[in-house]
Amino acid sequence: MLASVDPTFKYYFCLHANEMLLRLEHTPKLVLAAIQWTLRRGGLEIAMAADLRFAQGRREIGLPEVKSWSLPGTGGTQRLSRLVGRARPSS
């Protein structure tokens, strides 16, 4: 959907989506994310904003837009680095 709209719409869409995820992150209620299938892009960003994430079995998750040199528009890279931490240097 975002591929066919003008840049102003994209800007406001990402702005409002980020605001929604920030509210989800900071709500005083416990937020759970149940991961049942492949989780990418916006779905992963919503799961990262939750307090706890549950998945059974092997699941494929990722931010594929990073491979094409475009950043997730709602803070996904920042949330991911806060959740997993920095990479350890290989020895």
Side-chain angles (χ1 to χ4, degrees):
M1 184 229 15
L2 288 177
S4 63
V5 296
D6 65 272
T8 304
F9 180 87
K10 286 181 190 179
Y11 171 78
Y12 286 109
F13 179 86
C14 290
L15 187 69
H16 292 296
N18 191 33
E19 176 66 26
M20 185 269 307
L21 291 174
L22 285 171
R23 287 180 184 201
L24 187 65
E25 268 185 328
H26 295 107
T27 185
K29 303 218 183 247
L30 183 64
V31 179
L32 306 175
I35 302 166
Q36 296 181 335
W37 306 107
T38 299
L39 189 60
R40 293 192 185 115
R41 293 187 172 92
L44 176 57
E45 295 194 39
I46 292 170
M48 287 190 295
D51 296 310
L52 297 169
R53 288 152 295 283
F54 296 94
Q56 182 178 356
R58 186 181 169 125
R59 297 290 175 241
E60 187 176 316
I61 63 171
L63 297 170
E65 52 270 41
V66 174
K67 286 183 184 178
S68 63
W69 291 93
S70 68
L71 293 175
T74 55
T77 53
Q78 294 85 2
R79 282 186 186 85
L80 184 61
S81 63
R82 283 195 305 256
L83 284 171
V84 251
R86 296 179 58 138
R88 288 186 236 152
S90 57
S91 42

